Amino acid sequence: MNVCYTDTLKADCEDLLTRFQVTDSVRYEDFSALWREMKFSTIFHGKMGDVEKRNFSREALSTACHYFFPPYSFQIRVGALYLLYGLYNTQLCQPKEAIRLALKDWEEVEAFQQDVINAQHFDAVYILRKMFLTKVFHFTAMPHLLFYRIKQKMPRQEICEEFRDRTAKVNTLITTDALEEITNVHEHYQKMKCAISSDKTQPDKALSLIKQDLVSDLRNFALDFHEWQENRKRKLKHALKKEAHGMEEEKKEEEEDGAGEGSSQVNESSVRAQMLEKIKSKSYGHVTEAPKSRRHRQVELESSGSGSDQGKVEKGGGKRRRLAEKGKKALKKYEVKHEVAMETDPQRLSMPMIAEEDDSDTKEVIPPPKRRRKR
Amino acid sequence: MAACSTAEANNEPDRNIPTYEIRDINSNVVHVGSIARLWRERLNRKYFSFDERDIDTSTEEDAAFGEEMGISAETMDEIKIICSLDTLKCHSEEETPDLELIPDDTSLACLKKRKKRLDYREETLIIDRICRNETYTNEIHSLGVGKTPAHLEDQVEEGEIVLTMNILYPVISHQYKESKPLQTIQVLGSQKLTQLRDALCCVSDLQISGEFSNTPDLAVEHVSKDHFKSAFFYFEGVIYNDMRYPECKDLSKTILEWVESRERGYDRFQTAKMEDTTFNDLHIKIGYPYLYCHQGDCEHVVVITDIRWVTNDDCFAPADPCFFCDLCFRMLHYDSDGNKLGEFLAYPYVDPGIFN
């Protein structure tokens, strides 16, 4: 039976990246010190046949690659880059196993490269460039080899919450629910003040200790921030497209605009559109639980994915999952809806099974287990 | 800023970029040939060129990098030292660790697991059998790497697509119906479907039919492959028939009639010729099962597991030679002034069968 290293690789990579996260640095020097401290290159040691070595290298690179893309924070992504550099160069199989880069992920890589260049992290830029020039990457259509293994449930790599990008946390903090809560508290506070004032219709002047427009200000700040983020992304995308088409003048013009840094131009109409969208999604975003007699016709909330699949949260511990899902919902409300084809869960299929000759044990035809309906 | 608005109008992702239709199982329908184009549009030429001239030497490249980033030479040297491969060495120069030995004090989870497994193997004398198919694939992979083909015509072009596919063989015995033997094959995007068809060797092709009690020595000359030459591939609603020989029949006729006879829930199938179609022309889902049928009823499931772009030092050469005509050869390997591009050897080739 072949040994499966998915969980141990995940543990080791996260161990190294956690130590790197603690240093609060993006310097390769710091990373390589940790690499040597952990003797990470020994991960390839041990008596293994050629095929086993290759499979392990492939899996190690695939695991590390997972941390190179969103929703992970910038520092983690830089750490993942260094990790890929390390793993690629210390692997023992000949010829070396390449790092797979899928078409759909290319934009993220380009954006990342631009970010490191803008931030002048020369060591990261140098390493990334060196990897491209030494043909470390295989440019593929899809991230992994696909064998149509419906029966064999491939372990999907779960998102490590500690490494998540912090910029998304603004949106998780100021959600519709949070604002609603604050509004309720605010109104209640107003009522209390009125109750103890001489004039019952408005609170005494002496009691005005806070900003009256607290809630709307908070909402506007969050919208402004999101708008600024989106602007920045758009400008970056545009700049990259122009560079790819070799239009040097346009590129310089974009860079002078500062790639959106600090110059958040909030368009009145787009803010209004977003507010409307928020209100709509709030009303459609809430699904009432059907009574027991109608459970079989329980309405399910359609989840439209946003860009990369990496952001999908796995079934996990209850509270953590609810919080993460809440955060995701809030995030979606601020995002312009993209038309993304909805993915089908493999467990819901009833396609013919194909078993290949390998060392898998199960030889019987087992129909896919019926999933319990999710709330 | 007029250009800006058109760029924003193109904000939608290109429909030819593959994404998962079913997560970790298969992709949506993609046009194979477009994948090369999409990568070519995105990548700096240096990242994929076969041409040695495009790849500067490391010192030249480092100097260019320093200049581009506005870094002084001293800083550049510092960066080179900090980022050198020596920083990844986990043992001092004097130590030469045994690569097969796992230290007892390791902190890595992978090593602990591996050690446990190795100890268990030693104790119980168990051998972990590796899938045969993987062993063969790995052998071919290791043998082919880094080698340039002896003949110019066999050289793979830059910007080619390579498809990896699994061909599953039909089982003979009901007892073993769940484990189907499979073959992994790699083809180039520019190769025709007929080239794959010819490369596939199935035992049903070697069957001999007929009665030979009077002439037993003649039996071996009459394999089915020679008699029944028809075959077809089915990919995404199109049936590609092999019509190269006059004996070839359209095996798909029955299927087409069946689909059209009443509402089956499928769109009408189309037909095309296998010999006129290259892999670049196909629209397929990656990781999705399709069909190869020959000998009338011998069916193989075909799954395209991977599509990638060919880069330098790639590990394979095509199984069949790719012949370049004189015109193509000159266009590819020489510039307009007649200067040789890159390092290669050229041998004129005359097909010995040219007058047959």
Side-chain angles (χ1 to χ4, degrees):
Chain A
M1 194 184 78
N2 285 327
V3 188
C4 177
Y5 289 101
T6 322
D7 47 352
T8 50
L9 275 168
K10 183 172 185 283
D12 288 333
C13 289
E14 286 185 3
D15 190 2
L16 177 53
L17 288 173
T18 309
R19 294 185 196 206
F20 186 59
Q21 192 180 42
V22 160
T23 65
D24 253 347
S25 139
V26 287
R27 296 276 75 81
Y28 176 72
E29 229 175 344
D30 299 328
F31 180 88
S32 59
L34 292 168
W35 172 281
R36 288 188 298 273
E37 191 186 306
M38 288 179 73
K39 296 204 172 148
F40 214 84
S41 58
T42 58
I43 207 169
F44 294 108
H45 290 196
K47 192 173 176 186
M48 287 188 282
D50 287 338
V51 176
E52 218 183 319
K53 267 192 209 158
R54 182 162 296 284
N55 287 342
F56 179 72
S57 294
R58 187 180 303 135
E59 203 167 351
L61 292 170
S62 168
T63 308
C65 214
H66 170 80
Y67 300 99
F68 186 46
F69 296 105
Y72 293 112
S73 68
F74 181 74
Q75 194 207 10
I76 292 297
R77 293 176 70 184
V78 175
L81 171 68
Y82 296 153
L83 180 59
L84 283 168
Y85 179 66
L87 287 172
Y88 179 83
N89 287 302
T90 53
Q91 62 178 308
L92 296 172
C93 57
Q94 277 301 331
K96 288 204 193 301
E97 187 67 22
I99 302 172
R100 295 174 63 89
L101 206 50
L103 258 173
K104 65 183 179 75
D105 297 328
W106 174 250
E107 244 177 54
E108 301 289 352
V109 176
E110 251 192 333
F112 174 80
Q113 190 177 31
Q114 200 54 48
D115 280 342
V116 276
I117 290 174
N118 291 344
Q120 302 202 318
H121 297 305
F122 299 127
D123 45 5
V125 187
Y126 180 74
I127 283 176
L128 185 56
R129 194 156 158 146
K130 201 168 170 196
M131 285 166 79
F132 276 122
L133 292 172
T134 48
K135 310 274 171 44
V136 155
F137 294 103
H138 266 169
F139 302 111
T140 64
M142 296 297 282
H144 307 291
L145 294 169
L146 298 169
F147 302 101
Y148 205 67
R149 282 204 180 123
I150 293 218
K151 266 207 309 190
Q152 248 180 30
K153 192 172 180 200
M154 306 305 289
R156 210 187 285 182
Q157 210 166 341
E158 301 197 0
I159 306 285
C160 177
E161 294 297 330
E162 286 81 34
F163 295 161
R164 238 184 219 278
D165 191 6
R166 239 179 265 142
T167 56
K169 290 187 183 172
V170 174
N171 293 329
T172 60
L173 188 64
I174 306 177
T175 66
T176 318
D177 292 336
L179 284 175
E180 217 180 293
E181 193 74 29
I182 296 170
T183 316
N184 288 339
V185 171
H186 188 70
E187 281 170 12
H188 193 65
Y189 179 58
Q190 287 288 94
K191 284 194 191 122
M192 296 288 284
K193 284 202 284 188
C194 291
I196 61 168
S197 304
S198 42
D199 178 6
K200 299 295 172 190
T201 53
Q202 61 178 356
D204 283 341
K205 285 236 164 59
L207 290 172
S208 63
L209 299 163
I210 62 161
K211 271 182 117 168
Q212 292 308 306
D213 306 325
L214 173 70
V215 180
S216 54
D217 279 349
L218 210 52
R219 192 176 51 218
N220 288 337
F221 288 145
L223 284 173
D224 283 355
F225 176 69
H226 175 71
E227 182 67 25
W228 170 80
Q229 264 189 318
E230 289 297 305
N231 257 348
R232 199 159 155 265
K233 267 190 218 167
R234 260 196 297 270
K235 282 192 172 143
L236 184 64
K237 223 178 184 174
H238 172 61
L240 290 169
K241 272 203 172 92
K242 283 282 161 269
E243 195 183 337
H245 292 140
M247 288 161 74
E248 297 275 318
E249 306 86 53
E250 290 286 346
K251 183 194 166 190
K252 282 192 189 128
E253 212 182 327
E254 290 302 314
E255 280 184 4
E256 275 165 43
D257 281 348
E261 292 256 23
S263 60
S264 54
Q265 282 146 32
V266 179
N267 199 343
E268 285 275 353
S269 55
S270 75
V271 167
R272 188 167 175 278
Q274 278 180 351
M275 299 260 288
L276 282 171
E277 207 228 304
K278 203 171 62 145
I279 296 165
K280 273 187 201 162
S281 57
K282 187 181 158 191
S283 45
Y284 294 129
H286 178 64
V287 172
T288 50
E289 191 186 321
K292 283 205 178 115
S293 58
R294 302 289 271 179
R295 275 282 164 83
H296 62 284
R297 295 186 68 180
Q298 169 69 49
V299 170
E300 289 191 0
L301 192 62
E302 184 187 285
S303 60
S304 58
S306 45
S308 157
D309 309 312
Q310 312 278 349
K312 285 220 170 346
V313 175
E314 290 302 311
K315 283 188 278 186
K319 187 176 182 188
R320 213 156 150 238
R321 174 177 143 237
R322 278 199 295 278
L323 281 173
E325 272 182 12
K326 226 181 190 178
K328 269 181 66 64
K329 260 193 214 163
L331 199 62
K332 271 177 224 141
K333 280 166 189 154
Y334 290 120
E335 281 176 317
V336 176
K337 278 215 167 88
H338 294 290
E339 273 181 350
V340 174
M342 194 165 109
E343 288 179 352
T344 323
D345 192 323
Q347 290 302 320
R348 292 194 182 199
L349 296 169
S350 55
M351 296 296 288
M353 318 286 189
I354 299 167
E356 295 153 16
E357 187 200 45
D358 59 9
D359 289 312
S360 68
D361 294 321
T362 52
K363 300 231 189 285
E364 304 135 31
V365 178
I366 306 164
K370 285 203 164 66
R371 276 189 73 226
R372 271 183 289 139
R373 279 193 188 280
K374 54 177 189 186
R375 288 170 46 117
Chain B
M1 293 302 265
C4 181
S5 54
T6 45
E8 289 198 81
N10 291 336
N11 241 352
E12 286 185 13
D14 195 318
R15 228 169 296 167
N16 275 311
I17 295 182
T19 52
Y20 282 116
E21 182 186 66
I22 301 169
R23 188 73 201 270
D24 294 333
I25 301 290
N26 65 271
S27 78
N28 54 345
V29 180
V30 287
H31 177 235
V32 175
S34 299
I35 291 171
R37 174 184 58 84
L38 290 168
W39 271 122
R40 187 177 284 279
E41 283 170 5
R42 283 154 173 74
L43 291 178
N44 185 328
R45 195 184 154 69
K46 285 187 203 172
Y47 297 168
F48 61 81
S49 172
F50 281 4
D51 197 338
E52 292 295 326
R53 219 178 46 162
D54 274 341
I55 305 160
D56 301 338
T57 62
S58 141
T59 33
E60 277 173 29
E61 177 55 41
D62 290 343
F65 172 74
E67 221 177 281
E68 212 179 295
M69 295 283 125
I71 316 173
S72 70
E74 294 85 36
T75 318
M76 197 56 231
D77 286 336
E78 218 182 292
I79 291 174
K80 271 161 65 171
I81 296 171
I82 290 172
C83 299
S84 86
L85 295 179
D86 293 333
T87 58
L88 297 168
K89 291 191 183 145
C90 295
H91 302 273
S92 61
E93 286 298 316
E94 297 85 43
E95 283 178 40
T96 41
D98 184 353
L99 297 175
E100 295 201 345
L101 216 58
I102 296 174
D104 289 323
D105 59 345
T106 181
S107 61
L108 297 171
C110 288
L111 287 183
K112 289 180 189 160
K113 191 168 190 179
R114 192 172 298 143
K115 188 161 173 36
K116 217 169 144 185
R117 184 70 199 168
L118 289 172
D119 290 343
Y120 177 72
R121 276 190 215 168
E122 257 189 62
E123 274 174 36
T124 54
L125 299 178
I126 274 186
I127 302 169
D128 284 330
R129 264 189 294 149
I130 307 290
C131 168
R132 238 188 318 175
N133 179 58
E134 285 186 36
T135 313
Y136 295 150
T137 314
N138 194 58
E139 275 297 310
I140 303 288
H141 196 94
S142 335
L143 289 171
V145 72
K147 292 183 180 159
T148 41
H151 291 295
L152 180 67
E153 305 89 58
D154 296 348
Q155 171 101 359
V156 173
E157 266 186 63
E158 245 177 53
E160 266 277 20
I161 287 282
V162 62
L163 295 91
T164 311
M165 50 182 72
N166 285 349
I167 321 281
L168 281 79
Y169 283 75
V171 289
I172 301 159
S173 159
H174 189 77
Q175 189 185 358
Y176 297 108
K177 66 175 182 182
E178 288 314 317
S179 73
K180 296 182 172 73
L182 70 92
Q183 186 182 9
T184 305
I185 284 187
Q186 290 184 319
V187 291
L188 290 174
S190 56
Q191 288 182 300
K192 294 211 165 51
L193 297 187
T194 40
Q195 286 174 284
L196 173 63
R197 186 254 193 275
D198 293 338
L200 288 176
C201 181
C202 174
V203 73
S204 65
D205 280 334
L206 303 172
Q207 293 300 329
I208 302 162
S209 55
E211 205 278 315
F212 290 96
S213 56
N214 297 324
T215 52
D217 296 323
L218 287 177
V220 285
E221 291 174 22
H222 295 88
V223 288
S224 298
K225 192 166 188 173
D226 303 322
H227 287 304
F228 309 116
K229 295 200 175 103
S230 315
F232 72 82
F233 281 106
Y234 167 78
F235 292 115
E236 266 325 292
V238 185
I239 294 183
Y240 300 91
N241 286 297
D242 186 356
M243 303 299 267
R244 285 175 293 175
Y245 307 100
E247 308 89 72
C248 287
K249 291 186 195 156
D250 186 355
L251 292 179
S252 60
K253 261 202 190 127
T254 333
I255 301 170
L256 289 171
E257 281 162 14
W258 177 83
V259 170
E260 284 167 20
S261 61
R262 50 177 97 164
E263 189 54 55
R264 304 277 180 190
Y266 298 103
D267 291 332
R268 268 187 74 179
F269 287 173
Q270 296 166 339
T271 51
K273 286 202 182 145
M274 205 195 279
E275 60 269 28
D276 294 339
T277 318
T278 62
F279 284 97
N280 277 329
D281 301 328
L282 296 178
H283 289 83
I284 46 121
K285 294 182 191 175
I286 304 169
Y288 195 76
Y290 294 113
L291 190 72
Y292 166 60
C293 177
H294 66 136
Q295 298 296 327
D297 63 354
C298 183
E299 293 176 343
H300 302 253
V301 172
V302 176
V303 181
I304 294 168
T305 58
D306 187 24
I307 298 180
R308 62 182 169 84
W309 213 29
V310 172
T311 57
N312 204 359
D313 289 340
D314 225 304
C315 58
F316 66 96
D320 307 301
C322 295
F323 292 105
F324 288 144
C325 70
D326 196 43
L327 188 64
C328 292
F329 162 58
R330 286 190 186 280
M331 278 169 66
L332 185 64
H333 296 93
Y334 297 88
D335 65 14
S336 49
D337 297 323
N339 299 319
K340 184 173 159 182
L341 302 171
E343 288 300 311
F344 58 88
L345 301 171
Y347 300 95
Y349 177 72
V350 177
D351 184 351
I354 200 167
F355 293 121
N356 288 7

